[in-house]
Amino acid sequence: MADLQSSSQGIPTIAARMDRLPITRNHLWLTVAIGLGLFFDIYEIFLAGVLSTVLGEDFHLSASLLPLLLSSAFLGMFIGALTIGRLADLLGRRRAFLLSLGIYSAFSLLAAFSVGPVMLVVTRFSAGIGIGAEPPVSDTYLGDLLPPKNRGRYTAWAYTLSFFGVPAAGFLAHWLVPLAPFGLEGWRWMFLIGALGAVIVFALRTALPESPRWLEAAGRTDEADAVVRRFEARAMAEGKALPQPDTRRLVADSEMAALRNLFVRPYLRRTVMMSVFQVLQTWGYYGFGTLVPLVLVAKGFPVVQSLLFSAVTFVGYPIGSVLSIPIVERVERKFLVMGSGIVMAVLGLAFGFASATWAILLFGFLYTAVSNLFSNAHHIYLAEVFPTKLRGTGASGTYSLSRLSSAVIPFVLVPLLHHGGPGMLYAVVAGAMVGVAVDIGFLGPRTTGRALESVNSAPSAQTANSSTRGAGDGSSGLPAHSRGSTQRRLGRCSSSDRSRP
């Protein structure tokens, strides 16, 4: 194994120069551009749900074809998260999310002109491949470019912008489904809007810079330096001070990037925890939103009215995301994920058994609001429980399981709705959320306010690490034969590295 080493000759790294930057208009612009792309990821996820009743009538979908339609995009997203997400490390973040939006836009356009259920399933699957990589690639890009002190807040704002895609899908369906503008059915316009919107975001994102961290890692140091200089020039043009960059940053051991480290102690426990979590949480999060129109029809509401009710409850998604911003740093995230998951279980049961209109709207709105407190908390938590060199791999690999689980949901919950009713459906959803709380409660570490190297220390080394908690993340999870020597090296470096942001 290579030793941990400090930056050579006191020259600040690209990362150090980016991390010392104040927030500028460039940061705000990239946050908005990424948030708009995420908007269409959320829009796509909820699109099939809000249109499920309409498409079922137009295409005379059988009980077996409707779940296939609902799950087709999620199956594509699973593949996209694994493949295009990997390309972000090989070809660059910018190329990956442009490819993602390009594929999504092309196949959403084709979906608008589907002549039958088979074509619609195929185009939805293909569009899912494109949009499936959007969240992990966007998270990586924002993490690369945003300063540490503001990374969580502005990432949360990007996701808050994205969650307006949920009520947008609901209200557009309510307005367009009864109409046929220019002789084209309203549901087809829903796919056209997604395709054209993605083209606009594609054009906006072509102006975004490549990640300077990725450029430096790829050996393109001159290009990386040029990107950082543009950010520095913007900060000075706005009259903002530029602190001296930290020249004492540690460079982590390259062997820590080996995939096998996710499946040995201490990270095997984390990998299992997050895998179970991602499989279960999607039943509560997407299981509610994507099936609400079907549930309301099962309760006896007409299709158009069910779409209106869905849109009203979906307003809770962006509101819940906004409310989460001041909370996620004040409550231990492990307990925040557990607590909000249990509240979702209770509200889901209340929604499932509600019959009065006011109760349906109230519990639906509260459920969606709490679910985005849950969502933002677990997205932050996911990035905290893996070491730096494996953070992207661990996060994206386990995250992809949520897409696969989402593809299974319609095949289980739609028949359950038809045979057992809304109450039985949400009893299963509630059981999944209780499983989430148990999983995180028993296997999850505490993370809020702790240094990442402290969160990611091997159990046997935690005591030794207590005196070096300012050291870099690369110290965690080392095999036993090298842990002792690494601790001695970290002991020599810890005093200088405590100044790291």
Side-chain angles (χ1 to χ4, degrees):
M1 279 195 170
D3 288 349
L4 296 172
Q5 54 187 340
S6 59
S7 301
S8 62
Q9 301 176 352
I11 299 174
T13 62
I14 291 295
R17 291 167 61 192
M18 289 296 294
D19 286 351
R20 59 83 178 257
L21 289 171
I23 290 294
T24 67
R25 291 178 186 174
N26 288 355
H27 293 101
L28 298 178
W29 167 245
L30 68 91
T31 299
V32 171
I34 294 300
L36 288 173
L38 290 168
F39 174 98
F40 288 101
D41 172 70
I42 299 296
Y43 178 87
E44 178 68 23
I45 286 171
F46 285 87
L47 188 58
V50 299
L51 294 180
S52 55
T53 51
V54 179
L55 294 173
E57 292 179 359
D58 277 15
F59 285 140
H60 307 290
L61 298 178
S62 65
S64 59
L65 275 179
L66 181 58
L68 181 60
L69 173 63
L70 291 173
S71 66
S72 56
F74 286 112
L75 287 170
M77 289 175 189
F78 169 70
I79 294 173
L82 291 178
T83 55
I84 299 179
R86 175 59 178 161
L87 291 179
D89 284 334
L90 299 176
L91 302 179
R93 323 302 194 206
R94 185 172 172 275
R95 288 182 180 177
F97 58 55
L98 290 178
L99 175 63
S100 172
L101 283 172
I103 294 173
Y104 167 72
S105 181
F107 284 100
S108 285
L109 182 63
L110 290 175
F113 298 98
S114 296
V115 296
V118 174
M119 181 177 177
L120 187 58
V121 167
V122 171
T123 53
R124 292 275 300 158
F125 171 81
S126 301
I129 291 176
I131 207 68
E134 183 67 23
V137 174
S138 296
D139 290 348
T140 301
Y141 184 77
L142 289 173
D144 282 355
L145 275 83
L146 290 171
K149 291 187 297 183
N150 300 287
R151 186 179 300 143
R153 186 193 316 166
Y154 282 88
T155 299
W157 276 117
Y159 273 96
T160 298
L161 176 59
S162 78
F163 285 123
F164 282 97
V166 187
F171 282 112
L172 282 172
H174 172 67
W175 292 329
L176 288 173
V177 163
L179 307 175
F182 302 102
L184 199 65
E185 293 101 319
W187 66 264
R188 296 183 187 274
W189 280 101
M190 297 285 291
F191 291 110
L192 280 175
I193 289 170
L196 296 176
V199 169
I200 294 172
V201 176
F202 182 97
L204 292 175
R205 286 191 176 183
T206 56
L208 293 180
E210 179 55 86
S211 161
R213 281 180 166 89
W214 181 83
L215 288 170
E216 184 181 43
R220 296 159 62 178
T221 53
D222 289 342
E223 293 175 69
D225 178 70
V227 172
V228 179
R229 285 182 183 274
R230 288 201 294 272
F231 276 89
E232 292 169 337
R234 168 54 61 183
M236 289 187 288
E238 295 176 9
K240 297 179 179 178
L242 285 178
Q244 286 297 317
D246 185 359
T247 60
R248 298 168 295 183
R249 238 166 244 283
L250 295 182
V251 180
D253 182 352
S254 61
E255 191 172 332
M256 286 305 297
L259 182 62
R260 64 178 179 275
N261 284 311
L262 285 176
F263 302 99
V264 297
R265 294 186 63 192
Y267 299 112
L268 175 60
R269 181 187 180 105
R270 311 282 178 87
T271 303
V272 171
M273 175 196 69
M274 270 300 164
S275 296
V276 172
F277 172 83
Q278 294 292 359
V279 168
L280 293 178
Q281 64 88 9
T282 191
W283 290 69
Y285 191 78
Y286 295 125
F288 179 86
T290 57
L291 295 179
V292 161
L294 290 176
V295 170
L296 292 174
V297 169
K299 286 177 178 285
F301 293 97
V303 170
V304 174
Q305 190 175 6
S306 75
L307 293 175
L308 175 61
F309 285 4
S310 299
V312 171
T313 62
F314 288 170
V315 172
Y317 282 106
I319 291 176
S321 187
V322 171
L323 293 176
S324 75
I325 294 172
I327 296 174
V328 292
E329 296 296 345
R330 288 180 166 86
V331 180
E332 166 56 49
R333 274 185 279 280
K334 169 178 177 175
F335 300 136
L336 188 58
V337 172
M338 295 169 61
S340 56
I342 293 296
V343 173
M344 287 169 64
V346 173
L347 292 173
L349 287 171
F351 179 86
F353 287 103
S355 56
T357 300
W358 68 266
I360 290 171
L361 292 176
L362 175 64
F363 291 130
F365 173 82
L366 290 176
Y367 188 101
T368 57
V370 173
S371 70
N372 264 15
L373 172 60
F374 170 83
S375 177
N376 284 4
H378 85 66
H379 273 290
I380 299 170
Y381 192 68
L382 174 62
E384 293 174 323
V385 298
F386 294 108
T388 299
K389 283 291 186 178
L390 287 170
R391 192 161 293 138
T393 302
S396 63
T398 55
Y399 176 82
S400 69
L401 296 176
S402 71
R403 302 301 203 188
L404 190 60
S405 180
S406 299
V408 175
I409 286 175
F411 292 97
V412 177
L413 294 187
V414 171
L416 191 64
L417 174 64
H418 290 156
H419 294 95
M424 182 63 70
L425 183 153
Y426 284 108
V428 172
V429 169
M433 298 313 296
V434 171
V436 162
V438 172
D439 174 52
I440 298 294
F442 279 99
L443 299 178
R446 297 189 183 194
T447 63
T448 304
R450 297 179 63 193
L452 289 177
E453 72 278 0
S454 175
V455 174
N456 292 297
S457 293
S460 60
Q462 283 178 352
T463 302
N465 282 347
S466 62
S467 63
T468 59
R469 285 184 179 175
D473 256 2
S475 63
S476 58
L478 295 177
H481 69 270
S482 62
R483 196 175 294 136
S485 61
T486 301
Q487 287 299 325
R488 289 191 293 273
R489 289 193 294 273
L490 284 174
R492 294 194 295 270
C493 297
S494 62
S495 61
S496 64
D497 197 46
R498 287 195 183 98
S499 61
R500 292 179 65 182

